[in-house]
Amino acid sequence: LTPILLADHDTFGLYHEALGPQVDIILYYARNISTEAAKDVRTVIDAFLAEDSSSLQWRKCFRNIFLLGANLTAAEDQYHSRMWEVTWNLGPNMQFYRMLDYMASHHTADVMYFMEGDSIPLRPFWLDQIVNDMNARRPFSVLGGRYDGHNWDKYSPSSDILTPALRYHLNGNAVYNASHSLLVEATRLFKETPDWNSQKHSSFDVFISEMVFKEPGMSAGNMENPPYDYKRTAKISNHATTLTLPQDVRACEAVVHGAVYLGNWPAEGCQRVEGDITWYPKSEVEASEDTSMTLVVSDFADMSIHTFMNSLKEAGAFLRDEVTESSCPSGNALPFQRMVVLTQDEDTAEDYRNDTSLNITGMDIDFVARDWSLGSAWWDICSSVTEITTPWFMQVTSYFKVEENFKLPVDVDVDGKLVPAVPRLSYDSEFCTRECRSSVLNARYVLPTFNWHYEQQYSVYNSATRSEYCSTQVDDTSINEKGEDPSPDGYFAYVEKIAGADEIGQCEGKADPPRCHSQLVKAACNRTDLVGQHLRETCMVVCATCPEESFDAPIDFTVREEAPTYAWWENKATTKATADDRLKYKLYDRLKLFTAPGFIGEVDNSVRCEQLSSNFTDCPCIFPFYYEDKLYEGCSPDNDICPTSLPNTLELMPTSDDHRKCTQEDMDATTGGRQLAELPMPAVPDEPPRRRLSEAANCSEVAGLTTNVDVTLAPSDANQAVALGSGAPVAATSSDGNGLHSLTFKARPGTSPRSTGDVGASLQGWALLQAQQSVPLQRAESISAVLRTTDTYDDSRTVQLTYQLRDKDGNPRTDVAGVKVVLIVDGHELDECSRPTTNALWHSCSQQVKANMFSHDTHASVDVELRRDWTGPNWVTVHAVEAIGKVLIHRKPLWVQEGLASQFQSATSFITLPSAPLLEGDEFEVSIYAHTGAYPLETFWVTLDYDPSVFGFISFSDPKLFNAIEMDWGVNTRPLRFKAVGVQGTTTAQDVQKADLLLVTVKLRVHIGTRAGAHTFKVHVKEFINPGSVMFLADGQGSVLDARDNAQAEGQLHVRTIAERGILSYVPSGQLANWAVLTGQTQEHKVFTVVATDSDQSYRNVETGAVVCSLITPRPTVLLLNDCIVTLNSSHADTAYVPVTTMYGPFSASVPLTVYTPQTVAISAADSVLNRISANVAGCNVYQRTTVSTVADGLDVTLLVTYQVSDLAVLAIATTSSSHDVHDVLRGIAKGKGEVFLDGRDAQFASTVVSVTNEEVTATKLVSRLVTGARWDTAPPATLQGDFTASVELQHSLPVEGNTGRIFARVTWSDGESQDVSTGLVAGENALMVTSSTSSLEVVAPESIEQHWQARVAVGAKALCGDLLSVELLMCSQPVQDTVVPAIVSVPTATSIVLSLAAREDRLTPPDNDARFGPMSVPVYSALQVMVHYTEGNARDLTLDARVNYTVNEEECAEIVLLDNERRLAIKHSAACTWVTVSAVFDGSLTHSVPVAVVVVKDMWINFYGYNANWNVVITELGLVQCTTDTYHHATARASIQLSDHGEGQKVYVLHKGISNFESNDTAVAEIRSQNRVFVKGPGSLKISATFRSTQTKASASLVVVNEVLAFVKALTMSTSLYGSPRRTVRRIVDESQPTTVAITFDNDVTLPDVAKSDWVDVESVISFSSDDTDTISIDTTGTITLHNNAPSLTSLRAELACDSSKWAPPLTVAANLDPAPFDVDFGREYEWQFEPSGDRLAVDVRIRTPAGQRLINFQVICDFDVGFLTSDGAHKTDTGWSGVTDTLNDPPSSFQLVGNDVASERKNLVSVGRITLVVLQAGVTLITGKIQEIITVDAAGGSTRVEETPVFAGQGYASLSLSRRSRLLSALPGEHAIGHPTPRRAAEA
């Protein structure tokens, strides 16, 4: 068990109290709970175990709580997804078996509920249900739940994938009987099997099932029988790793394990889940304009749209059947409010608009023609003709179908907004094939690091973002240079892009290739079992193999991986949001979670090119690739493997299907195949990357690269510093030879808890590092309190307290962990107060006085104690405050003590009022009772009288004994009247005959502004009537029970005013620091006071002027207190504890306060004598400089102060415009002496003397260093707990061209003093001049005097080291000293280059050739890329580098151009070459060449196919349609193209409809219509011509039409829309029609899918229709059927060939069942035949149809039948949707009547009002009729419509009765069940 389950138990029910504590809790930890590693766990658990069980409701339900450890080692505690390893489930298995062994051998109980943390209770009293079920199901070995999700739906019971043991196993979250023989054996095997943990085992729950299924002949039905007793319970459900929606959770499930909870995408006007679902962990989103969605369907005019629409309708019907019509009034349960169908052309769109079979209820549909000028159908995503007006849309093709149980899961963010949940597949997944990866690669022009594939059927688009994507990415040729089509991957790449894609880090100034930034690469870096060394050399940033980093640290894979659960979903599934948060997606990996049922596409039956045996043009090779850490650069005798796609690692996966055998053509190719963009070929090194840089032999002597320069460690902001330096800084050399600088810090006095600051490191004004710090809260040590309650009553027992906690320093904000406050009233300890709130300045406590203390009036003393858990579970009192006040406990009235039943002796009414006075705004209840005397009470009418100007009515409730209680008001809203007539059916006479019968409870509120005092209440009885209709009490005055002891005729309720009860005062910080002694600036701190009242809603800050503050002991040398303002100034010199007393009226409070004032302050100068610097320049009077610092009580306070000098002619504080503060630098001006003292104080307080002399000094030494950065060697702690030391290491690293560093210098003078120099702090004083001795390292001069000199690695730099820079120090523009700067330039040497083409294909075409157009889409140019590889294994893109020279061997055919900052290989117009070769040369020595094929259109031809997408039938001759004399078959023309590189098995390009132009040479024989349809008019021969794009590409073909039948009918099929399960019911309103569909298949395999909808075949000439019962269902000559009547038997519908009756379709055998029209009634079943008896009973459901949008509020319906067959004597009613319906049975027995009335009813459409189960007396066929006495509906405007005295129509029908236990249909004579139509009813306006 885990503590997670217990978190909400105070508010979520565990047990009913009657069950009592029967269960122990064991908190089970996987490892040793006593180890240091488990310290954090123990801290949480110890506090949990220490909680006072009497104060928590849920703790009363458990007997004991234990903490137990399984004591697994780290090697044992493993749980991961590498299922081929022995350890994949080792941890959970061992943990379970050890628990089982513990239960059997150590625990007193033998039954445990093993409940993991992802098992979530969803029902109140869930453990009640499990315990009760456990007791009822004994004996059992395991009692648990099977898998209940949809993940296994695709696997049939006979599937080999799921063994019976797996399919029927009980999930591990189950109840176990450790003493059962099955589990005893499982434990024995665990304990006695040698080396158990080194063998692979099934997970423990599956293993137990496998033990059961070892029994021969075992089946799922026998598992629950002895001796296994392996039992399933519905109370525990398993939805592990399943996307779960509310409708997936059954009502019987109390606990659900492992589910990932999501909501339904809302459907407007339709609720997928009925009733209240607040129990569900994920809130549902309400339908709104923000959630509306359009479905875009790409259609191709091949009749597939009808299949799609039918599946959509069937899905809608299925979903509607799941809920009642009242929950789905719109009739559209799908999330789409609108549909847009884009088809081939306007003719097709118009045909669709006129086709009524394509209409869908509740959905607007637009049919529009596709804009082919944009490109392929993928452009439907971006097409302007789509006109998407909803915020969201999805796009599929008509080749998809809609799954019946369609679900569109959606997540909800913290603001309750919709977040689409979209699945995706990783580019690196073995399931992402070549086609999948190609789609991702094509989208990388949007985002280079894009790595996910999104399938069309799951993609949800935001319309606004779609428009941005289309306009800014797809349409922009500067971005989309290759003209990629829109796609789901492109769209989601754009979403990731605008969401802020992860930045690509750099190694040595170069970023990893984008492909490195994938999950596979990041996971594989340190896995030598996954990838070879090449990956770590290419992806150096991602793999941390950059030379300055170590990659040797192993990754620990022995960890528990988190399975997908609700918590996993919330924390791990990626949430992508744009920068402005206007769009969010929840994106999840399809390999982690199965998708929900949605759209399903057609299976692609085409053979993949990898499976062909002859030629492989469609899947070229990709090189280089790696396999088992070996590099393969092409096809060769040593390698016959050719990968056709690769993951980002370039490793050929052993499980991949994307590879083929090399061909001879591959062997002959010089390049071995093509190369993908961004997949450079790294060099293969002889050894792995080194930790340190590669160094030449002499570079080891280059030392001290960053030593001898001083780093400043200090806070960056003096005003917010939380720590100050203490002592002198320490300079040292690190183990790497770099400068290392350290300083000790102490906490700054006067810093309050939760303050924040930082510590930074800087070098001569250059900020290097910064670390944030915060001051933690300290534990509470004391408490002060105000008692806010002075009086308590039996019905107001709460004692309220406001208190303040303080830490040891007097701070009012404290750490409240492990702290509790207890109230003690009259020596009785009350329940623990609610835990104090962290960071609050004061806290509140409300606890109730024990009920037994109200027997007499008591003045009780109140004490308060602060306790802390110093000793584990034993709370220790830290501070106690006695007698904080007294509370008067009022004796409860005598009537309360004696009880209500004893107050009155005869029939009367009485009310009870609160005893406690109320405040304005308080809510309270008044209960109205009856003493019924000698009679049961059946009808009552009582009134409650009170002053409505004082009290306001809120609501009332009743115990549901009587029928609906009516309430109204009298004149001027008084009195309040309640009336009930009759009792409910379940109420007994004993229930309503009592001396204290509760009638009504009224909730009232005291009006704001009500005056204080007593206010009256009265009760009056109008009528009390017994079941015999005798009024046994009338017009009687009732009594009132109030705060007084006895009943009163007029009751009193007292209203009081809010009173002040005390004050609390505080200063936000208990310790103040007086820095005014250093700065001279006065500080002020306010003392705050808050007043607590006796109302729990009222606190008030008191203005300072109303409070009097004073010091207990005046301390004028410490502070000044005036008007509650503490003032600190430079005259206050002492440190002391000075508590403050505050007075407000009669109340007082004390504020602890300590003031710290620095006692010892010293100013010092690093050099007390500043000499003149010798520069040998006339007029150059420059003196030395020094730094000044101040120390107060050992702390460096330099940052807090500024300085003044006594003589500005001698000394000056140096100033600068730099952002870095250098006010502590002092410079000499002229000979003399001067004092340096603090600004704001005089020199007497603290000062130092500095002399300036004309004695000259010279520069004897200059040290200069090149620093590129720094790192924390010991970082300052984030939380300030005490003294600490921070240290920083300077760095020097120049491995990449463009790397820079700053140059720093320090000069030493002849008097031994030193100072920092850079470019000089004052213009003209000093400056540096830097030069470089090598072209590999260039210098950059400062732009202003605040900037430093910089050195930068030059382009083309070579690796070298030594004293590469020279630095001169200039004084008055003259050099006075120089030095050299050591540096190491570690750039590697270029070893090779790789030239590649970015085009998708390794072939190009001339710009004037038609091969450039789709579908060939051969590019006319390709961008070039040159990757230069270096000795260290990395590579750089130098495509545009000036050192790269490009050439083309065949200059007459191609050229190199520079366009849009891109090098391109472009084919020239009319190029006649078949190949061109492009070459690149780098730095004059390294070269690489790539051959590129040049292709053109070679041939074009035409084929004819069967019309209506019969692409499998090739047509050469057409004839008559059978049964006709002048109607001919049609065909579809299709043109195809091959290119000049076409060979055997190579691709032929089929020209889609609309992009080739066809013409007929004889339109009298046939003409070409839309969709390239050959529309035949008569016999003859003709030629069809086609052209493509330019007139150069054209073709023609001949076609013959003969006047005879060539293709004869082979088969017919007939279908229509049917309902029910099985689907065979025709359900329509009377005489309403629907079409049938007849499909013809001819012997040449051409199919005509729907003859009736054909626009050229006359269905009446071809098909003959018939019905065997035309009175029930008639069918006309076009196949349209009409429903006339209900029928007790099935009707057969037939279709046959008109000219050959031997050709017929299998008959449709259907049930006829009328659907009621508005204001009509339906009896019996909704589907199948109308009435179906069960033995000697017949259930008759009654349904009423309302007009659209109208509510049913009243009905009275009679059903009549032949009493010789049926009787209502002995019948019974069942509620089916309308509770409280009155039934009349056996009066007479030949009928029944249902009456209902509910003016507030919201029931609409088809309303189920009840079911009557009749008794069958005799077998036979009998007529059932009915009559509508009255039906009343109300429309939206409130207008009502009444229908009365009208016969029932849809409900009339014959019932076929049988007295056997199995019902059967009795045959009927023709016409026997026909019913005449009654006169149409007329609605009378009510």
Side-chain angles (χ1 to χ4, degrees), residues 821-833:
V821 173
V822 175
L823 279 178
I824 302 172
V825 177
D826 205 26
H828 299 276
E829 183 175 313
L830 305 186
D831 290 340
E832 174 190 344
C833 294

Side-chain angles (χ1 to χ4, degrees), residues 594-640:
F594 282 77
T595 57
F599 296 103
I600 51 176
E602 288 188 335
V603 177
D604 183 5
N605 293 319
S606 61
V607 179
R608 301 182 79 234
C609 65
E610 288 87 353
Q611 299 168 309
L612 297 174
S613 58
S614 56
N615 206 301
F616 305 98
T617 303
D618 287 347
C619 49
C621 302
I622 296 180
F623 292 109
F625 75 94
Y626 293 85
Y627 187 72
E628 295 183 349
D629 205 19
K630 182 178 179 181
L631 172 67
Y632 295 88
E633 299 182 272
C635 289
S636 66
D638 297 330
N639 170 47
D640 64 348

Side-chain angles (χ1 to χ4, degrees), residues 1020-1087:
H1020 186 80
V1021 179
K1022 292 287 188 181
E1023 295 175 356
F1024 277 2
I1025 301 175
N1026 68 15
S1029 300
V1030 175
M1031 184 182 300
F1032 62 89
L1033 183 60
D1035 289 327
Q1037 179 66 42
S1039 301
V1040 181
L1041 299 173
D1042 55 18
R1044 295 168 286 186
D1045 285 333
N1046 300 312
Q1048 309 291 324
E1050 188 176 90
Q1052 293 182 349
L1053 183 59
H1054 289 269
V1055 176
R1056 64 181 179 85
T1057 57
I1058 297 175
E1060 296 175 340
R1061 295 301 182 197
I1063 62 171
L1064 295 171
S1065 299
Y1066 62 93
V1067 177
S1069 178
Q1071 185 188 63
L1072 304 179
N1074 183 9
W1075 301 116
V1077 298
L1078 302 180
T1079 64
Q1081 299 175 1
T1082 300
Q1083 302 170 210
E1084 292 186 346
H1085 303 273
K1086 182 178 178 180
V1087 180

Side-chain angles (χ1 to χ4, degrees), residues 1598-1615:
S1598 297
L1599 183 65
V1600 177
V1601 180
V1602 297
N1603 202 21
E1604 60 181 283
V1605 176
L1606 298 178
F1608 291 88
V1609 173
K1610 182 170 66 174
L1612 301 176
T1613 59
M1614 184 181 185
S1615 62

Side-chain angles (χ1 to χ4, degrees), residues 1814-1873:
L1814 301 173
V1815 178
V1816 180
L1817 300 176
Q1818 179 182 332
V1821 177
T1822 183
L1823 178 64
I1824 296 177
T1825 62
K1827 183 179 181 181
I1828 298 171
Q1829 293 294 102
E1830 182 180 58
I1831 291 178
I1832 302 177
T1833 63
V1834 177
D1835 59 25
S1840 62
T1841 305
R1842 182 192 309 271
V1843 168
E1844 53 191 5
E1845 300 298 329
T1846 296
V1848 168
F1849 184 75
Q1852 297 183 74
Y1854 282 89
S1856 177
L1857 306 176
S1858 171
L1859 289 174
S1860 65
R1861 302 306 295 175
R1862 178 175 296 176
S1863 64
R1864 61 185 178 87
L1865 281 176
L1866 298 181
S1867 59
L1869 296 175
E1872 182 179 2
H1873 55 262

Side-chain angles (χ1 to χ4, degrees), residues 1068-1294:
S1069 178
Q1071 185 188 63
L1072 304 179
N1074 183 9
W1075 301 116
V1077 298
L1078 302 180
T1079 64
Q1081 299 175 1
T1082 300
Q1083 302 170 210
E1084 292 186 346
H1085 303 273
K1086 182 178 178 180
V1087 180
F1088 295 91
T1089 297
V1090 63
V1091 175
T1093 70
D1094 57 2
S1095 168
D1096 59 359
Q1097 304 295 326
S1098 178
Y1099 289 93
R1100 182 167 59 85
N1101 289 318
V1102 183
E1103 295 300 325
T1104 304
V1107 181
V1108 176
C1109 297
S1110 61
L1111 297 174
I1112 297 176
T1113 302
R1115 299 294 298 271
T1117 61
V1118 177
L1119 58 79
L1120 173 66
L1121 180 62
N1122 186 24
D1123 290 335
C1124 293
I1125 301 295
V1126 175
T1127 301
L1128 304 175
N1129 56 42
S1130 58
S1131 66
H1132 300 133
D1134 291 344
T1135 295
Y1137 172 67
V1138 282
V1140 176
T1141 298
T1142 58
M1143 298 286 296
Y1144 171 71
F1147 310 118
S1148 64
S1150 178
V1151 181
L1153 190 65
T1154 300
V1155 176
Y1156 161 79
T1157 302
Q1159 300 298 299
T1160 302
V1161 179
I1163 303 174
S1164 61
D1167 183 1
S1168 60
V1169 179
L1170 303 181
N1171 298 307
R1172 182 177 176 179
I1173 299 172
S1174 174
N1176 296 322
V1177 178
C1180 183
N1181 296 314
V1182 180
Y1183 295 85
Q1184 290 174 303
R1185 294 175 303 178
T1186 190
T1187 57
V1188 182
S1189 59
T1190 301
V1191 174
D1193 296 342
L1195 297 176
D1196 186 349
V1197 295
T1198 305
L1199 278 176
L1200 305 182
V1201 300
T1202 56
Y1203 299 99
Q1204 291 285 352
V1205 295
S1206 60
D1207 191 343
L1208 292 175
V1210 175
L1211 295 169
I1213 299 294
T1215 60
T1216 178
S1217 59
S1218 170
S1219 59
H1220 300 284
D1221 193 0
V1222 290
H1223 63 261
D1224 57 343
V1225 176
L1226 187 70
R1227 63 187 178 92
I1229 302 296
K1231 181 181 179 181
K1233 284 187 178 182
E1235 286 184 294
V1236 181
F1237 54 93
L1238 298 177
D1239 190 10
R1241 301 303 308 271
D1242 53 28
Q1244 287 72 23
F1245 175 72
S1247 64
T1248 186
V1249 176
V1250 176
S1251 300
V1252 180
T1253 76
N1254 283 328
E1255 183 179 342
E1256 290 192 343
V1257 293
T1258 58
T1260 60
K1261 182 180 180 181
L1262 182 66
V1263 176
S1264 184
R1265 296 291 182 260
L1266 176 61
V1267 178
T1268 60
R1271 70 169 189 89
W1272 288 115
D1273 184 67
T1274 303
T1279 302
L1280 185 62
Q1281 300 286 3
D1283 298 353
F1284 65 90
T1285 297
S1287 60
V1288 64
E1289 180 184 5
L1290 297 179
Q1291 294 179 315
H1292 177 99
S1293 176
L1294 298 169

Side-chain angles (χ1 to χ4, degrees), residues 52-88:
D52 182 4
S53 61
S54 63
S55 64
L56 300 173
Q57 291 298 320
W58 66 266
R59 286 290 289 271
K60 299 175 183 177
C61 305
F62 296 100
R63 201 167 39 195
N64 301 298
I65 300 181
F66 301 98
L67 179 60
L68 184 66
N71 296 333
L72 301 185
T73 65
E76 294 169 337
D77 188 21
Q78 297 193 50
Y79 189 28
H80 51 75
S81 58
R82 302 184 299 282
M83 299 179 67
W84 60 88
E85 297 182 13
V86 170
T87 60
W88 82 270

